[in-house]
PDB file of all heavy atoms in Angstrom:
ATOM      1  N   ARG A1039     157.733 -65.186  42.825  1.00  0.00           N
ATOM      2  CA  ARG A1039     158.795 -66.111  43.234  1.00  0.00           C
ATOM      3  C   ARG A1039     159.022 -66.114  44.743  1.00  0.00           C
ATOM      4  O   ARG A1039     159.330 -67.158  45.325  1.00  0.00           O
ATOM      5  CB  ARG A1039     160.083 -65.742  42.488  1.00  0.00           C
ATOM      6  CG  ARG A1039     161.254 -66.657  42.756  1.00  0.00           C
ATOM      7  CD  ARG A1039     162.390 -66.352  41.787  1.00  0.00           C
ATOM      8  NE  ARG A1039     163.673 -66.825  42.267  1.00  0.00           N
ATOM      9  CZ  ARG A1039     164.145 -68.064  42.090  1.00  0.00           C
ATOM     10  NH1 ARG A1039     163.433 -68.941  41.431  1.00  0.00           N
ATOM     11  NH2 ARG A1039     165.318 -68.401  42.569  1.00  0.00           N
ATOM     12  N   MET A1043     159.833 -69.090  48.537  1.00  0.00           N
ATOM     13  CA  MET A1043     161.078 -69.047  49.313  1.00  0.00           C
ATOM     14  C   MET A1043     160.745 -68.900  50.795  1.00  0.00           C
ATOM     15  O   MET A1043     159.706 -68.349  51.147  1.00  0.00           O
ATOM     16  CB  MET A1043     161.912 -67.817  48.890  1.00  0.00           C
ATOM     17  CG  MET A1043     162.190 -67.734  47.395  1.00  0.00           C
ATOM     18  SD  MET A1043     163.241 -69.089  46.844  1.00  0.00           S
ATOM     19  CE  MET A1043     162.625 -69.292  45.168  1.00  0.00           C
ATOM     20  N   ILE A1059     167.238 -72.508  50.309  1.00  0.00           N
ATOM     21  CA  ILE A1059     165.837 -72.721  50.708  1.00  0.00           C
ATOM     22  C   ILE A1059     165.737 -73.659  51.916  1.00  0.00           C
ATOM     23  O   ILE A1059     164.683 -74.166  52.238  1.00  0.00           O
ATOM     24  CB  ILE A1059     164.984 -73.278  49.533  1.00  0.00           C
ATOM     25  CG1 ILE A1059     165.624 -74.532  48.919  1.00  0.00           C
ATOM     26  CG2 ILE A1059     164.767 -72.189  48.484  1.00  0.00           C
ATOM     27  CD1 ILE A1059     164.752 -75.211  47.859  1.00  0.00           C
ATOM     28  N   TYR A1061     167.523 -76.989  54.422  1.00  0.00           N
ATOM     29  CA  TYR A1061     167.805 -78.421  54.236  1.00  0.00           C
ATOM     30  C   TYR A1061     168.973 -78.641  53.263  1.00  0.00           C
ATOM     31  O   TYR A1061     168.986 -79.612  52.507  1.00  0.00           O
ATOM     32  CB  TYR A1061     166.540 -79.166  53.768  1.00  0.00           C
ATOM     33  CG  TYR A1061     165.336 -78.828  54.595  1.00  0.00           C
ATOM     34  CD1 TYR A1061     164.460 -77.816  54.189  1.00  0.00           C
ATOM     35  CD2 TYR A1061     165.099 -79.466  55.805  1.00  0.00           C
ATOM     36  CE1 TYR A1061     163.367 -77.469  54.978  1.00  0.00           C
ATOM     37  CE2 TYR A1061     164.017 -79.116  56.587  1.00  0.00           C
ATOM     38  CZ  TYR A1061     163.159 -78.121  56.174  1.00  0.00           C
ATOM     39  OH  TYR A1061     162.090 -77.770  56.947  1.00  0.00           O
ATOM     40  N   GLN A1063     169.635 -77.187  50.541  1.00  0.00           N
ATOM     41  CA  GLN A1063     169.219 -77.131  49.134  1.00  0.00           C
ATOM     42  C   GLN A1063     169.145 -75.680  48.670  1.00  0.00           C
ATOM     43  O   GLN A1063     169.069 -74.765  49.486  1.00  0.00           O
ATOM     44  CB  GLN A1063     167.858 -77.811  48.942  1.00  0.00           C
ATOM     45  CG  GLN A1063     167.818 -79.236  49.469  1.00  0.00           C
ATOM     46  CD  GLN A1063     168.899 -80.121  48.846  1.00  0.00           C
ATOM     47  OE1 GLN A1063     169.222 -79.999  47.671  1.00  0.00           O
ATOM     48  NE2 GLN A1063     169.467 -81.006  49.653  1.00  0.00           N
ATOM     49  N   THR A1064     169.181 -75.506  47.342  1.00  0.00           N
ATOM     50  CA  THR A1064     169.033 -74.160  46.789  1.00  0.00           C
ATOM     51  C   THR A1064     167.995 -74.173  45.677  1.00  0.00           C
ATOM     52  O   THR A1064     167.869 -75.155  44.946  1.00  0.00           O
ATOM     53  CB  THR A1064     170.358 -73.645  46.181  1.00  0.00           C
ATOM     54  OG1 THR A1064     170.837 -74.616  45.249  1.00  0.00           O
ATOM     55  CG2 THR A1064     171.407 -73.390  47.230  1.00  0.00           C
ATOM     56  N   ALA A1065     167.276 -73.075  45.581  1.00  0.00           N
ATOM     57  CA  ALA A1065     166.429 -72.878  44.402  1.00  0.00           C
ATOM     58  C   ALA A1065     167.366 -72.491  43.263  1.00  0.00           C
ATOM     59  O   ALA A1065     168.310 -71.725  43.458  1.00  0.00           O
ATOM     60  CB  ALA A1065     165.420 -71.765  44.657  1.00  0.00           C
ATOM     61  N   SER A1066     167.116 -73.028  42.084  1.00  0.00           N
ATOM     62  CA  SER A1066     168.003 -72.763  40.957  1.00  0.00           C
ATOM     63  C   SER A1066     167.901 -71.298  40.518  1.00  0.00           C
ATOM     64  O   SER A1066     166.920 -70.611  40.789  1.00  0.00           O
ATOM     65  CB  SER A1066     167.644 -73.664  39.779  1.00  0.00           C
ATOM     66  OG  SER A1066     167.466 -74.992  40.195  1.00  0.00           O
ATOM     67  N   GLN A1067     168.956 -70.871  39.800  1.00  0.00           N
ATOM     68  CA  GLN A1067     169.012 -69.499  39.284  1.00  0.00           C
ATOM     69  C   GLN A1067     167.862 -69.281  38.283  1.00  0.00           C
ATOM     70  O   GLN A1067     167.687 -70.097  37.367  1.00  0.00           O
ATOM     71  CB  GLN A1067     170.361 -69.335  38.597  1.00  0.00           C
ATOM     72  CG  GLN A1067     170.661 -67.949  38.140  1.00  0.00           C
ATOM     73  CD  GLN A1067     172.053 -67.875  37.523  1.00  0.00           C
ATOM     74  OE1 GLN A1067     172.773 -68.865  37.473  1.00  0.00           O
ATOM     75  NE2 GLN A1067     172.405 -66.694  37.051  1.00  0.00           N
ATOM     76  N   GLN A1071     166.426 -71.495  34.949  1.00  0.00           N
ATOM     77  CA  GLN A1071     165.097 -72.099  34.844  1.00  0.00           C
ATOM     78  C   GLN A1071     164.393 -71.623  33.569  1.00  0.00           C
ATOM     79  O   GLN A1071     163.705 -72.393  32.898  1.00  0.00           O
ATOM     80  CB  GLN A1071     164.277 -71.750  36.085  1.00  0.00           C
ATOM     81  CG  GLN A1071     164.912 -72.340  37.344  1.00  0.00           C
ATOM     82  CD  GLN A1071     164.139 -72.047  38.602  1.00  0.00           C
ATOM     83  OE1 GLN A1071     163.607 -70.951  38.756  1.00  0.00           O
ATOM     84  NE2 GLN A1071     164.081 -73.001  39.511  1.00  0.00           N
ATOM     85  N   GLU A1088     158.865 -83.689  36.835  1.00  0.00           N
ATOM     86  CA  GLU A1088     159.963 -82.885  37.382  1.00  0.00           C
ATOM     87  C   GLU A1088     160.595 -83.653  38.544  1.00  0.00           C
ATOM     88  O   GLU A1088     159.885 -84.137  39.429  1.00  0.00           O
ATOM     89  CB  GLU A1088     159.423 -81.538  37.905  1.00  0.00           C
ATOM     90  CG  GLU A1088     160.516 -80.662  38.510  1.00  0.00           C
ATOM     91  CD  GLU A1088     159.974 -79.406  39.196  1.00  0.00           C
ATOM     92  OE1 GLU A1088     158.908 -79.470  39.846  1.00  0.00           O
ATOM     93  OE2 GLU A1088     160.628 -78.358  39.085  1.00  0.00           O
ATOM     94  N   ILE A1089     161.909 -83.735  38.536  1.00  0.00           N
ATOM     95  CA  ILE A1089     162.611 -84.386  39.641  1.00  0.00           C
ATOM     96  C   ILE A1089     163.331 -83.303  40.438  1.00  0.00           C
ATOM     97  O   ILE A1089     164.169 -82.574  39.893  1.00  0.00           O
ATOM     98  CB  ILE A1089     163.634 -85.431  39.129  1.00  0.00           C
ATOM     99  CG1 ILE A1089     162.968 -86.440  38.182  1.00  0.00           C
ATOM    100  CG2 ILE A1089     164.296 -86.127  40.316  1.00  0.00           C
ATOM    101  CD1 ILE A1089     161.892 -87.303  38.794  1.00  0.00           C
ATOM    102  N   GLY A1090     162.990 -83.190  41.726  1.00  0.00           N
ATOM    103  CA  GLY A1090     163.569 -82.149  42.572  1.00  0.00           C
ATOM    104  C   GLY A1090     162.671 -80.930  42.613  1.00  0.00           C
ATOM    105  O   GLY A1090     162.999 -79.877  42.072  1.00  0.00           O
ATOM    106  N   THR A1091     161.518 -81.087  43.283  1.00  0.00           N
ATOM    107  CA  THR A1091     160.551 -79.979  43.386  1.00  0.00           C
ATOM    108  C   THR A1091     161.213 -78.752  44.013  1.00  0.00           C
ATOM    109  O   THR A1091     160.990 -77.626  43.564  1.00  0.00           O
ATOM    110  CB  THR A1091     159.364 -80.381  44.292  1.00  0.00           C
ATOM    111  OG1 THR A1091     158.920 -81.688  43.957  1.00  0.00           O
ATOM    112  CG2 THR A1091     158.221 -79.383  44.198  1.00  0.00           C
ATOM    113  N   GLY A1092     162.016 -78.988  45.056  1.00  0.00           N
ATOM    114  CA  GLY A1092     162.683 -77.883  45.746  1.00  0.00           C
ATOM    115  C   GLY A1092     161.687 -76.842  46.222  1.00  0.00           C
ATOM    116  O   GLY A1092     160.734 -77.150  46.926  1.00  0.00           O
ATOM    117  N   SER A1093     161.897 -75.612  45.796  1.00  0.00           N
ATOM    118  CA  SER A1093     161.001 -74.527  46.206  1.00  0.00           C
ATOM    119  C   SER A1093     159.621 -74.647  45.569  1.00  0.00           C
ATOM    120  O   SER A1093     158.646 -74.117  46.093  1.00  0.00           O
ATOM    121  CB  SER A1093     161.609 -73.187  45.796  1.00  0.00           C
ATOM    122  OG  SER A1093     161.687 -73.110  44.372  1.00  0.00           O
ATOM    123  N   GLY A1094     159.549 -75.286  44.414  1.00  0.00           N
ATOM    124  CA  GLY A1094     158.277 -75.364  43.684  1.00  0.00           C
ATOM    125  C   GLY A1094     158.099 -74.243  42.675  1.00  0.00           C
ATOM    126  O   GLY A1094     157.085 -74.195  41.964  1.00  0.00           O
ATOM    127  N   PHE A1095     159.085 -73.349  42.579  1.00  0.00           N
ATOM    128  CA  PHE A1095     158.927 -72.234  41.635  1.00  0.00           C
ATOM    129  C   PHE A1095     158.917 -72.724  40.185  1.00  0.00           C
ATOM    130  O   PHE A1095     158.029 -72.359  39.403  1.00  0.00           O
ATOM    131  CB  PHE A1095     160.040 -71.200  41.848  1.00  0.00           C
ATOM    132  CG  PHE A1095     159.955 -70.038  40.896  1.00  0.00           C
ATOM    133  CD1 PHE A1095     158.889 -69.158  40.943  1.00  0.00           C
ATOM    134  CD2 PHE A1095     160.944 -69.826  39.940  1.00  0.00           C
ATOM    135  CE1 PHE A1095     158.799 -68.085  40.056  1.00  0.00           C
ATOM    136  CE2 PHE A1095     160.869 -68.754  39.050  1.00  0.00           C
ATOM    137  CZ  PHE A1095     159.794 -67.887  39.115  1.00  0.00           C
ATOM    138  N   LEU A1096     159.887 -73.578  39.848  1.00  0.00           N
ATOM    139  CA  LEU A1096     159.894 -74.100  38.476  1.00  0.00           C
ATOM    140  C   LEU A1096     158.635 -74.943  38.221  1.00  0.00           C
ATOM    141  O   LEU A1096     158.067 -74.915  37.128  1.00  0.00           O
ATOM    142  CB  LEU A1096     161.165 -74.918  38.214  1.00  0.00           C
ATOM    143  CG  LEU A1096     161.330 -75.464  36.792  1.00  0.00           C
ATOM    144  CD1 LEU A1096     161.387 -74.342  35.760  1.00  0.00           C
ATOM    145  CD2 LEU A1096     162.576 -76.340  36.676  1.00  0.00           C
ATOM    146  N   THR A1097     158.200 -75.655  39.258  1.00  0.00           N
ATOM    147  CA  THR A1097     156.962 -76.436  39.157  1.00  0.00           C
ATOM    148  C   THR A1097     155.803 -75.533  38.726  1.00  0.00           C
ATOM    149  O   THR A1097     155.015 -75.893  37.846  1.00  0.00           O
ATOM    150  CB  THR A1097     156.612 -77.059  40.533  1.00  0.00           C
ATOM    151  OG1 THR A1097     157.801 -77.487  41.179  1.00  0.00           O
ATOM    152  CG2 THR A1097     155.627 -78.195  40.391  1.00  0.00           C
ATOM    153  N   VAL A1110     158.572 -84.806  41.928  1.00  0.00           N
ATOM    154  CA  VAL A1110     159.056 -85.656  43.023  1.00  0.00           C
ATOM    155  C   VAL A1110     160.153 -84.932  43.795  1.00  0.00           C
ATOM    156  O   VAL A1110     161.061 -84.345  43.192  1.00  0.00           O
ATOM    157  CB  VAL A1110     159.627 -86.989  42.475  1.00  0.00           C
ATOM    158  CG1 VAL A1110     159.961 -87.948  43.627  1.00  0.00           C
ATOM    159  CG2 VAL A1110     158.668 -87.647  41.492  1.00  0.00           C
ATOM    160  N   GLU A1111     160.072 -84.971  45.112  1.00  0.00           N
ATOM    161  CA  GLU A1111     161.072 -84.341  45.984  1.00  0.00           C
ATOM    162  C   GLU A1111     161.374 -85.302  47.129  1.00  0.00           C
ATOM    163  O   GLU A1111     160.475 -85.907  47.684  1.00  0.00           O
ATOM    164  CB  GLU A1111     160.526 -83.006  46.506  1.00  0.00           C
ATOM    165  CG  GLU A1111     161.319 -82.345  47.621  1.00  0.00           C
ATOM    166  CD  GLU A1111     162.770 -82.043  47.250  1.00  0.00           C
ATOM    167  OE1 GLU A1111     163.032 -81.392  46.228  1.00  0.00           O
ATOM    168  OE2 GLU A1111     163.660 -82.484  48.022  1.00  0.00           O
ATOM    169  N   ARG A1112     162.656 -85.410  47.491  1.00  0.00           N
ATOM    170  CA  ARG A1112     162.988 -86.360  48.564  1.00  0.00           C
ATOM    171  C   ARG A1112     162.829 -85.750  49.951  1.00  0.00           C
ATOM    172  O   ARG A1112     162.742 -86.473  50.934  1.00  0.00           O
ATOM    173  CB  ARG A1112     164.409 -86.924  48.391  1.00  0.00           C
ATOM    174  CG  ARG A1112     165.511 -85.903  48.418  1.00  0.00           C
ATOM    175  CD  ARG A1112     166.860 -86.549  48.156  1.00  0.00           C
ATOM    176  NE  ARG A1112     167.402 -87.194  49.340  1.00  0.00           N
ATOM    177  CZ  ARG A1112     168.094 -86.549  50.287  1.00  0.00           C
ATOM    178  NH1 ARG A1112     168.306 -85.243  50.179  1.00  0.00           N
ATOM    179  NH2 ARG A1112     168.571 -87.202  51.319  1.00  0.00           N
ATOM    180  N   ILE A1113     162.802 -84.431  50.057  1.00  0.00           N
ATOM    181  CA  ILE A1113     162.699 -83.794  51.379  1.00  0.00           C
ATOM    182  C   ILE A1113     161.249 -83.351  51.617  1.00  0.00           C
ATOM    183  O   ILE A1113     160.722 -82.450  50.951  1.00  0.00           O
ATOM    184  CB  ILE A1113     163.678 -82.602  51.482  1.00  0.00           C
ATOM    185  CG1 ILE A1113     165.118 -83.122  51.311  1.00  0.00           C
ATOM    186  CG2 ILE A1113     163.516 -81.875  52.817  1.00  0.00           C
ATOM    187  CD1 ILE A1113     166.181 -82.053  51.241  1.00  0.00           C
ATOM    188  N   LEU A1116     160.244 -79.639  52.108  1.00  0.00           N
ATOM    189  CA  LEU A1116     160.277 -78.793  50.902  1.00  0.00           C
ATOM    190  C   LEU A1116     159.030 -79.040  50.051  1.00  0.00           C
ATOM    191  O   LEU A1116     158.412 -78.101  49.534  1.00  0.00           O
ATOM    192  CB  LEU A1116     161.541 -79.067  50.081  1.00  0.00           C
ATOM    193  CG  LEU A1116     162.858 -78.575  50.699  1.00  0.00           C
ATOM    194  CD1 LEU A1116     164.034 -78.958  49.800  1.00  0.00           C
ATOM    195  CD2 LEU A1116     162.825 -77.070  50.920  1.00  0.00           C
ATOM    196  N   GLY A1137     159.662 -88.767  47.819  1.00  0.00           N
ATOM    197  CA  GLY A1137     160.336 -90.056  47.687  1.00  0.00           C
ATOM    198  C   GLY A1137     161.594 -89.920  46.858  1.00  0.00           C
ATOM    199  O   GLY A1137     162.015 -88.805  46.515  1.00  0.00           O
ATOM    200  N   ASP A1138     162.174 -91.055  46.532  1.00  0.00           N
ATOM    201  CA  ASP A1138     163.414 -91.076  45.747  1.00  0.00           C
ATOM    202  C   ASP A1138     163.092 -90.942  44.257  1.00  0.00           C
ATOM    203  O   ASP A1138     162.651 -91.892  43.615  1.00  0.00           O
ATOM    204  CB  ASP A1138     164.180 -92.377  46.016  1.00  0.00           C
ATOM    205  CG  ASP A1138     165.468 -92.457  45.202  1.00  0.00           C
ATOM    206  OD1 ASP A1138     165.795 -91.472  44.503  1.00  0.00           O
ATOM    207  OD2 ASP A1138     166.127 -93.505  45.264  1.00  0.00           O
ATOM    208  N   GLY A1139     163.352 -89.773  43.740  1.00  0.00           N
ATOM    209  CA  GLY A1139     163.051 -89.488  42.340  1.00  0.00           C
ATOM    210  C   GLY A1139     163.992 -90.141  41.347  1.00  0.00           C
ATOM    211  O   GLY A1139     163.783 -90.013  40.137  1.00  0.00           O
ATOM    212  N   THR A1140     165.034 -90.851  41.813  1.00  0.00           N
ATOM    213  CA  THR A1140     165.908 -91.490  40.823  1.00  0.00           C
ATOM    214  C   THR A1140     165.211 -92.678  40.151  1.00  0.00           C
ATOM    215  O   THR A1140     165.719 -93.208  39.165  1.00  0.00           O
ATOM    216  CB  THR A1140     167.259 -91.971  41.424  1.00  0.00           C
ATOM    217  OG1 THR A1140     167.022 -92.985  42.401  1.00  0.00           O
ATOM    218  CG2 THR A1140     168.023 -90.814  42.046  1.00  0.00           C
ATOM    219  N   SER A1155     166.216 -81.294  38.120  1.00  0.00           N
ATOM    220  CA  SER A1155     166.825 -80.076  38.673  1.00  0.00           C
ATOM    221  C   SER A1155     167.955 -80.368  39.633  1.00  0.00           C
ATOM    222  O   SER A1155     168.359 -79.501  40.398  1.00  0.00           O
ATOM    223  CB  SER A1155     165.782 -79.240  39.405  1.00  0.00           C
ATOM    224  OG  SER A1155     164.857 -78.710  38.510  1.00  0.00           O
ATOM    225  N   ALA A1156     168.452 -81.606  39.637  1.00  0.00           N
ATOM    226  CA  ALA A1156     169.587 -81.955  40.498  1.00  0.00           C
ATOM    227  C   ALA A1156     170.574 -82.752  39.647  1.00  0.00           C
ATOM    228  O   ALA A1156     170.186 -83.425  38.690  1.00  0.00           O
ATOM    229  CB  ALA A1156     169.118 -82.759  41.705  1.00  0.00           C
ATOM    230  N   TYR A1165     164.341 -92.793  33.767  1.00  0.00           N
ATOM    231  CA  TYR A1165     163.898 -91.578  33.077  1.00  0.00           C
ATOM    232  C   TYR A1165     163.704 -91.853  31.580  1.00  0.00           C
ATOM    233  O   TYR A1165     162.743 -91.385  30.973  1.00  0.00           O
ATOM    234  CB  TYR A1165     164.885 -90.430  33.267  1.00  0.00           C
ATOM    235  CG  TYR A1165     165.100 -90.003  34.709  1.00  0.00           C
ATOM    236  CD1 TYR A1165     166.121 -89.142  35.042  1.00  0.00           C
ATOM    237  CD2 TYR A1165     164.273 -90.473  35.723  1.00  0.00           C
ATOM    238  CE1 TYR A1165     166.329 -88.744  36.359  1.00  0.00           C
ATOM    239  CE2 TYR A1165     164.472 -90.090  37.042  1.00  0.00           C
ATOM    240  CZ  TYR A1165     165.507 -89.229  37.350  1.00  0.00           C
ATOM    241  OH  TYR A1165     165.709 -88.850  38.645  1.00  0.00           O
ATOM    242  N   PHE A1208     174.575 -77.795  39.989  1.00  0.00           N
ATOM    243  CA  PHE A1208     173.313 -78.109  40.658  1.00  0.00           C
ATOM    244  C   PHE A1208     173.609 -78.890  41.937  1.00  0.00           C
ATOM    245  O   PHE A1208     174.679 -79.485  42.064  1.00  0.00           O
ATOM    246  CB  PHE A1208     172.424 -78.970  39.746  1.00  0.00           C
ATOM    247  CG  PHE A1208     171.805 -78.206  38.615  1.00  0.00           C
ATOM    248  CD1 PHE A1208     172.527 -77.929  37.458  1.00  0.00           C
ATOM    249  CD2 PHE A1208     170.497 -77.739  38.698  1.00  0.00           C
ATOM    250  CE1 PHE A1208     171.966 -77.217  36.416  1.00  0.00           C
ATOM    251  CE2 PHE A1208     169.935 -77.023  37.655  1.00  0.00           C
ATOM    252  CZ  PHE A1208     170.660 -76.764  36.511  1.00  0.00           C
ATOM    253  N   VAL A1209     172.656 -78.913  42.860  1.00  0.00           N
ATOM    254  CA  VAL A1209     172.826 -79.768  44.043  1.00  0.00           C
ATOM    255  C   VAL A1209     172.720 -81.221  43.575  1.00  0.00           C
ATOM    256  O   VAL A1209     172.114 -81.509  42.550  1.00  0.00           O
ATOM    257  CB  VAL A1209     171.769 -79.458  45.141  1.00  0.00           C
ATOM    258  CG1 VAL A1209     171.889 -78.028  45.617  1.00  0.00           C
ATOM    259  CG2 VAL A1209     170.364 -79.765  44.668  1.00  0.00           C
ATOM    260  N   PRO A1210     173.349 -82.147  44.321  1.00  0.00           N
ATOM    261  CA  PRO A1210     173.361 -83.537  43.849  1.00  0.00           C
ATOM    262  C   PRO A1210     171.997 -84.225  43.927  1.00  0.00           C
ATOM    263  O   PRO A1210     171.206 -83.967  44.830  1.00  0.00           O
ATOM    264  CB  PRO A1210     174.363 -84.219  44.782  1.00  0.00           C
ATOM    265  CG  PRO A1210     174.498 -83.338  45.959  1.00  0.00           C
ATOM    266  CD  PRO A1210     174.169 -81.949  45.525  1.00  0.00           C
ATOM    267  N   LEU A1211     171.767 -85.081  42.948  1.00  0.00           N
ATOM    268  CA  LEU A1211     170.622 -85.984  42.965  1.00  0.00           C
ATOM    269  C   LEU A1211     171.028 -87.161  43.854  1.00  0.00           C
ATOM    270  O   LEU A1211     171.971 -87.886  43.532  1.00  0.00           O
ATOM    271  CB  LEU A1211     170.342 -86.451  41.536  1.00  0.00           C
ATOM    272  CG  LEU A1211     169.124 -87.336  41.276  1.00  0.00           C
ATOM    273  CD1 LEU A1211     167.827 -86.568  41.502  1.00  0.00           C
ATOM    274  CD2 LEU A1211     169.148 -87.891  39.847  1.00  0.00           C
ATOM    275  N   LEU A1212     170.346 -87.290  44.979  1.00  0.00           N
ATOM    276  CA  LEU A1212     170.724 -88.315  45.955  1.00  0.00           C
ATOM    277  C   LEU A1212     169.684 -89.417  45.942  1.00  0.00           C
ATOM    278  O   LEU A1212     168.501 -89.162  46.165  1.00  0.00           O
ATOM    279  CB  LEU A1212     170.780 -87.700  47.363  1.00  0.00           C
ATOM    280  CG  LEU A1212     171.813 -86.585  47.583  1.00  0.00           C
ATOM    281  CD1 LEU A1212     171.644 -85.987  48.974  1.00  0.00           C
ATOM    282  CD2 LEU A1212     173.226 -87.098  47.393  1.00  0.00           C
ATOM    283  N   GLY A1213     170.122 -90.642  45.662  1.00  0.00           N
ATOM    284  CA  GLY A1213     169.157 -91.733  45.670  1.00  0.00           C
ATOM    285  C   GLY A1213     169.744 -92.990  45.085  1.00  0.00           C
ATOM    286  O   GLY A1213     170.937 -93.048  44.753  1.00  0.00           O
ATOM    287  N   ARG A1214     168.896 -93.957  44.914  1.00  0.00           N
ATOM    288  CA  ARG A1214     169.343 -95.296  44.560  1.00  0.00           C
ATOM    289  C   ARG A1214     170.105 -95.331  43.238  1.00  0.00           C
ATOM    290  O   ARG A1214     171.067 -96.058  43.077  1.00  0.00           O
ATOM    291  CB  ARG A1214     168.121 -96.213  44.488  1.00  0.00           C
ATOM    292  CG  ARG A1214     168.536 -97.637  44.527  1.00  0.00           C
ATOM    293  CD  ARG A1214     167.453 -98.682  44.815  1.00  0.00           C
ATOM    294  NE  ARG A1214     166.098 -98.289  45.005  1.00  0.00           N
ATOM    295  CZ  ARG A1214     165.067 -98.971  44.492  1.00  0.00           C
ATOM    296  NH1 ARG A1214     165.273-100.010  43.706  1.00  0.00           N
ATOM    297  NH2 ARG A1214     163.833 -98.604  44.762  1.00  0.00           N
ATOM    298  N   VAL A1221     167.513 -92.731  51.587  1.00  0.00           N
ATOM    299  CA  VAL A1221     166.398 -91.781  51.477  1.00  0.00           C
ATOM    300  C   VAL A1221     165.142 -92.455  51.996  1.00  0.00           C
ATOM    301  O   VAL A1221     164.967 -93.660  51.841  1.00  0.00           O
ATOM    302  CB  VAL A1221     166.159 -91.304  50.019  1.00  0.00           C
ATOM    303  CG1 VAL A1221     167.322 -90.478  49.558  1.00  0.00           C
ATOM    304  CG2 VAL A1221     165.922 -92.468  49.093  1.00  0.00           C
TER     305      VAL A1221
HETATM  306  N1  LIG B2707     163.817 -76.364  40.671  1.00  0.00           N
HETATM  307  C1  LIG B2707     164.075 -76.406  42.086  1.00  0.00           C
HETATM  308  C2  LIG B2707     165.427 -77.006  42.328  1.00  0.00           C
HETATM  309  C3  LIG B2707     165.726 -77.334  43.749  1.00  0.00           C
HETATM  310  S1  LIG B2707     167.324 -78.025  44.019  1.00  0.00           S
HETATM  311  C4  LIG B2707     164.023 -74.993  42.638  1.00  0.00           C
HETATM  312  O1  LIG B2707     164.349 -74.090  41.893  1.00  0.00           O
HETATM  313  O2  LIG B2707     163.674 -74.787  43.792  1.00  0.00           O
HETATM  314  C5  LIG B2707     167.062 -79.720  43.643  1.00  0.00           C
HETATM  315  C6  LIG B2707     166.127 -80.477  44.536  1.00  0.00           C
HETATM  316  O3  LIG B2707     166.265 -81.862  44.213  1.00  0.00           O
HETATM  317  C7  LIG B2707     166.384 -80.366  46.020  1.00  0.00           C
HETATM  318  O4  LIG B2707     165.244 -79.878  46.655  1.00  0.00           O
HETATM  319  C8  LIG B2707     166.693 -81.807  46.457  1.00  0.00           C
HETATM  320  O5  LIG B2707     166.180 -82.136  47.732  1.00  0.00           O
HETATM  321  C9  LIG B2707     166.004 -82.596  45.374  1.00  0.00           C
HETATM  322  N2  LIG B2707     166.491 -83.972  45.206  1.00  0.00           N
HETATM  323  C10 LIG B2707     167.761 -84.442  45.293  1.00  0.00           C
HETATM  324  N3  LIG B2707     167.789 -85.768  45.094  1.00  0.00           N
HETATM  325  C11 LIG B2707     166.496 -86.157  44.867  1.00  0.00           C
HETATM  326  C12 LIG B2707     165.856 -87.404  44.604  1.00  0.00           C
HETATM  327  N4  LIG B2707     166.541 -88.548  44.521  1.00  0.00           N
HETATM  328  N5  LIG B2707     164.524 -87.419  44.435  1.00  0.00           N
HETATM  329  C13 LIG B2707     163.803 -86.276  44.507  1.00  0.00           C
HETATM  330  N6  LIG B2707     164.336 -85.076  44.764  1.00  0.00           N
HETATM  331  C14 LIG B2707     165.677 -85.005  44.940  1.00  0.00           C
END
Side-chain angles (χ1 to χ4, degrees):
R1039 183 170 159 86
M1043 306 294 149
I1059 53 174
Y1061 312 94
Q1063 306 304 323
T1064 53
S1066 314
Q1067 187 177 359
Q1071 297 181 322
E1088 179 188 38
I1089 306 297
T1091 315
S1093 64
F1095 179 66
L1096 183 61
T1097 322
V1110 187
E1111 169 59 54
R1112 61 183 280 276
I1113 299 174
L1116 289 178
D1138 179 4
T1140 64
S1155 292
Y1165 299 169
F1208 286 81
V1209 299
L1211 184 68
L1212 298 174
R1214 197 165 1 139
V1221 293

